[in-house]
């Protein structure tokens, strides 16, 4: 089996699994810290921490849901809001913010009045990936709960947590009581402690998120004129009837770029029908180095990808010498391997991948130092083993279509093996 074949099989396998070998500890943890008990319940700070290295929560942001264990209500929320109030008709005077048994809570938009804000709130539910910006990988709000237990013996943990980020894909575990969080006072001279803390862990599975991939990869090289395109219908061709030709007049119409409530895309017509294509071009061969050009193209007229990220697995990424115009960070999921890294946009420069059209693409070049023992242009070695865009794995072309070195790799392999056989013959004869 050739290396590229193996990589292809592994890619197919891992597409189905929830476990992500490139980010084995990645999860989103939701922490409830009870800050005070009230006459009929408690006030809690709820914090979402995104511990995933390269998967962020894009606009329109997260929706957090749960089911109350008893008849709890939400008196008020600071820094977020429940999407529906529900039936509060049995209350007189003070009306709760939400009476639903299974509330759904969303972040507020930036720019809300100061008295409605809470630390780390009000970012429209956008949460950065841990590997990209740990300081922005958090979101929080404060909730006042009524008709609840009023001590750590009587309070009941909410059940059936759900997280949309923004679409489906996350599965949340049960809430677990954990050691109480400690906080430093603003002057950092005193430690305080939550009265009680519970955690919920949510993990992502691309398989749950969508039936088809969301992006595909194409290849080219300086040593072969063949351009290996994205596989046909890589992202499913169901939307083919609604796609827009890039030269169509519709593209100039006002409102064409307005995102839809259900986030449905408006794709440019392509044979792959992917919203995102990543192109890897093996550009130059130097004596001790080689150079790759990476281009990312957006084919969706209705999405600007903010805080986009690209993850690439390739054995030569342990010797990245320079990355031009993107930020780069090696991902080292296991101490022994260093073949994976994440690329992302530079703040305020190219961290926005614009909607489809003349500006809907980004490019970078990558200079790698050859490792004398492993480096080769043969058998597709120079092409990535895995590519992820925004945390979702992209479909690679079938290995036998990769651009080959003119002196065919197969013939060469045959030459080597026949050389070995001749040598063995010589030895055994001699
Ligand atoms: C969630 O992620 C954090 C950070 O990587 C890790 O320490 C923790 O063990 C993970 N939790 C679970 C339940 O996997
Ligand atoms: C609970 O979640 C917080 C992050 O929100 C994390 O720092 C802490 O380690 C978690 N505790 C346990 C026991 O998993
Ligand atoms: C409940 O609070 C008491 C003190 O008020 C403490 O001793 C006990 O450990 C707490 N139990 C839990 C489960 O947090
Ligand atoms: C939680 O979800 C499970 C399975 O989806 C369901 O059987 C159970 O009734 C739900 N519990 C509550 C309290 O809604
Ligand atoms: C993308 O961003 C540009 C510039 O900020 C804006 O004009 C355009 O309407 C946005 N497109 C979408 C689909 O949100
Ligand atoms: C991994 O590779 C990068 C270059 O891409 C290098 O800077 C880093 O030191 C390497 N880390 C380890 C643990 O080998
Ligand atoms: C490439 O990186 C590995 C470890 O990351 C190191 O052992 C090796 O010497 C490097 N090769 C070159 C040519 O720098
Ligand atoms: C270029 O690569 C393709 C496979 O993708 C192969 O069919 C073709 O023979 C190669 N061209 C040359 C000149 O080797």
């Amino acid at each position: 089996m050739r290396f590229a074949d193996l990589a292809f099989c592994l890619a197919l396998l891992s597409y189905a699994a929830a476990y992500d070998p490139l980010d084995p500890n990645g999860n989103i943890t939701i922490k409830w810290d009870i800050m005070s008990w009230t006459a009929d319940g408690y006030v809690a700070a709820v914090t979402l921490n995104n511990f995933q290295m390269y998967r962020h929560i894009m606009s329109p942001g997260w929706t957090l849901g749960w089911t109350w264990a008893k008849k709890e209500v939400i008196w008020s929320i600071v820094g977020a809001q429940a999407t529906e109030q529900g039936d509060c008709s049995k209350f007189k005077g003070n009306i709760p913010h939400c009476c639903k048994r299974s509330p759904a809570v969303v972040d507020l938009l930036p720019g809300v009045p100061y008295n409605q804000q809470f630390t780390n709130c009000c970012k429209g539910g956008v949460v950065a990936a841990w590997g990209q910006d740990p300081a922005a990988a958090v979101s929080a709000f404060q909730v006042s709960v009524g008709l609840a237990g009023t001590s750590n013996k009587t309070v009941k943990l909410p059940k059936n947590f759900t997280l949309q980020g923004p679409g489906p894909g996350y599965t949340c575990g049960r809430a677990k009581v954990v050691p109480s969080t400690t906080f430093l006072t603003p002057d950092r001279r005193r430690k305080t402690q939550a009265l009680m803390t519970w955690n919920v862990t949510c993990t992502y599975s691309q398989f749950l998120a969508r039936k088809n991939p969301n992006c595909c990869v194409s290849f080219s090289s300086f040593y072969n004129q063949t351009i290996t395109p994205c596989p046909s219908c890589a992202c499913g061709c169901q939307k083919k009837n609604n796609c827009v030709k890039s030269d169509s007049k519709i593209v100039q119409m006002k409102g064409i770029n307005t995102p839809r409530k259900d986030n449905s895309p408006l794709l440019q017509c392509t044979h792959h029908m992917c919203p995102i294509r990543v192109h890897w071009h093996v550009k130059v061969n130097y004596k001790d180095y080689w150079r790759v050009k990476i281009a990312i193209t957006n084919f969706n007229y209705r999405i600007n990808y903010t805080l986009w990220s690209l993850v690439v697995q390739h054995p030569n990424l342990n010797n990245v010498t320079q990355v031009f115009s993107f930020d780069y960070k090696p991902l080292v999921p296991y101490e022994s391997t260093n073949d994976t890294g994440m690329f992302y946009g530079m703040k305020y420069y190219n961290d926005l991948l614009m909607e489809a059209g003349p500006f809907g693409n980004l490019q970078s070049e990558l200079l790698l130092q050859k490792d004398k023992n492993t480096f080769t242009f043969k058998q597709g070695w120079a092409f990535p083993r895995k590519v992820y865009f925004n945390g979702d794995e992209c479909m690679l072309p079938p290995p036998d279509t990769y651009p080959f070195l003119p002196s065919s790799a197969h013939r060469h392999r045959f030459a080597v093996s026949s050389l070995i056989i001749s040598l063995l013959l010589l030895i055994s004869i001699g």
Side-chain angles (χ1 to χ4, degrees):
M1 198 184 239
R2 272 186 303 145
F3 200 98
D5 290 319
L6 184 68
F8 188 68
C9 291
L10 288 177
L12 279 182
L13 276 178
S14 68
Y15 178 66
Y19 173 76
D20 183 351
L22 300 185
D23 189 14
N25 294 319
N27 65 50
I28 293 184
T29 302
I30 298 147
K31 183 166 64 97
W32 288 53
D33 288 309
I34 296 191
M35 307 309 286
S36 59
W37 300 111
T38 59
D40 73 338
Y42 59 87
V43 176
V46 180
T47 312
L48 269 88
N49 279 101
N50 183 7
F51 291 121
Q52 300 177 106
M53 287 305 287
Y54 54 79
R55 190 172 295 111
H56 69 306
I57 298 182
M58 215 172 70
S59 182
W62 52 262
T63 304
L64 181 64
W66 63 83
T67 302
W68 291 118
K70 295 189 288 186
K71 302 228 176 300
E72 290 89 337
V73 293
I74 300 175
W75 281 119
S76 63
I77 305 189
V78 183
Q81 62 184 1
T83 56
E84 285 180 62
Q85 182 178 32
D87 178 8
C88 293
S89 59
K90 66 175 185 181
F91 290 86
K92 292 195 179 72
N94 250 350
I95 309 288
H97 174 77
C98 173
C99 299
K100 285 186 81 83
R101 193 165 145 69
S102 298
V105 172
V106 295
D107 195 9
L108 299 178
L109 297 173
V112 296
Y114 188 74
N115 64 356
Q116 292 171 31
Q117 290 183 21
F118 190 67
T119 320
N120 291 316
C121 87
C122 312
K123 301 185 281 188
V126 172
V127 185
W130 183 262
Q132 198 161 338
D133 190 354
V138 58
S139 197
F141 60 89
Q142 188 190 62
V143 61
S144 305
V145 182
L147 306 189
T150 54
S151 77
N152 68 5
K153 303 230 162 42
T154 53
V155 73
K156 288 278 190 314
L157 274 47
K159 293 185 163 57
N160 283 9
F161 278 87
T162 58
L163 176 68
Q164 306 234 325
Y170 287 97
T171 314
C172 301
R174 281 183 43 207
K176 283 201 193 87
V177 175
V178 298
S180 295
T181 310
T182 54
F183 303 93
L184 272 180
T185 54
D187 65 3
R188 309 193 143 265
R189 284 154 52 92
R190 195 176 116 83
K191 259 190 191 168
T192 60
Q193 197 174 325
L195 302 175
M196 187 179 182
T197 301
W198 58 77
N199 273 10
V200 178
T201 303
C202 306
T203 52
Y204 181 82
S205 153
Q206 183 172 349
F207 194 63
L208 289 178
R210 51 175 61 95
K211 208 162 85 246
N212 295 303
N214 211 27
C215 61
C216 63
V217 186
S218 56
F219 294 142
S220 60
S221 68
F222 68 86
Y223 52 76
N224 183 325
Q225 289 189 332
T226 307
I227 296 174
T228 305
C230 276
S232 288
C233 297
C235 300
C237 277
Q238 300 93 325
K239 297 206 171 69
K240 194 112 199 172
N241 296 332
N242 304 326
C243 71
V244 174
K245 298 213 170 62
S246 59
D247 56 3
S248 158
K249 284 210 169 62
I250 296 175
V251 169
Q252 263 105 50
M253 262 167 57
K254 234 179 143 185
I256 190 93
N257 301 122
T258 310
R260 291 293 165 92
K261 250 217 164 96
D262 63 356
N263 256 351
S264 66
L266 180 65
L267 294 182
Q268 187 178 315
C269 299
T270 54
H271 73 281
H272 50 75
M273 289 302 289
C274 289
I276 292 288
R277 181 189 66 202
V278 178
H279 186 76
W280 178 278
H281 174 64
V282 179
K283 191 177 175 189
V284 192
N285 183 24
Y286 307 105
K287 183 165 162 286
D288 295 322
Y289 297 88
W290 58 298
R291 187 186 276 260
V292 171
K293 181 172 173 174
I294 300 174
I296 311 172
T297 310
N298 184 0
F299 292 103
N300 186 350
Y301 288 101
R302 288 196 196 131
I303 293 192
N304 282 331
Y305 288 95
T306 52
L307 290 177
W308 61 270
S309 71
L310 184 73
V311 168
V312 175
Q313 186 175 31
H314 187 283
N316 213 160
L317 286 179
N318 62 350
N319 296 85
V320 171
T321 305
Q322 205 175 347
V323 177
F324 301 88
S325 69
F326 287 171
D327 277 329
Y328 178 76
K329 180 178 276 177
L331 294 173
V332 192
Y334 314 101
E335 309 251 322
S336 54
T337 58
N338 190 8
D339 61 353
T340 309
M342 64 184 283
F343 300 85
Y344 50 99
M346 292 179 178
K347 231 175 188 165
Y348 310 120
Y349 173 57
N350 57 4
D351 60 350
L352 170 71
L353 172 56
M354 282 277 281
E355 65 205 19
F359 307 110
N361 63 84
L362 294 170
Q363 313 191 348
S364 161
E365 292 198 3
L366 178 61
L367 193 64
L368 299 144
Q369 185 172 23
K370 293 177 184 172
D371 184 334
K372 293 276 180 307
N373 299 321
T374 52
F375 178 83
T376 174
F377 283 127
K378 283 174 209 147
Q379 294 178 25
W381 190 87
F383 298 103
R385 310 296 183 257
K386 275 189 182 189
V387 175
Y388 290 63
F389 179 80
N390 275 359
D392 277 337
E393 193 164 353
C394 305
M395 185 174 264
L396 298 172
D400 57 351
T401 63
Y402 288 20
F404 282 136
L405 265 185
S407 60
S408 167
H410 292 287
R411 229 183 302 143
H412 187 85
R413 198 166 47 167
F414 175 73
V416 171
S417 52
S418 57
L419 186 72
I420 292 171
I421 291 172
S422 326
L423 272 173
L424 284 174
L425 275 174
L426 270 178
I427 292 166
S428 59
I429 291 168

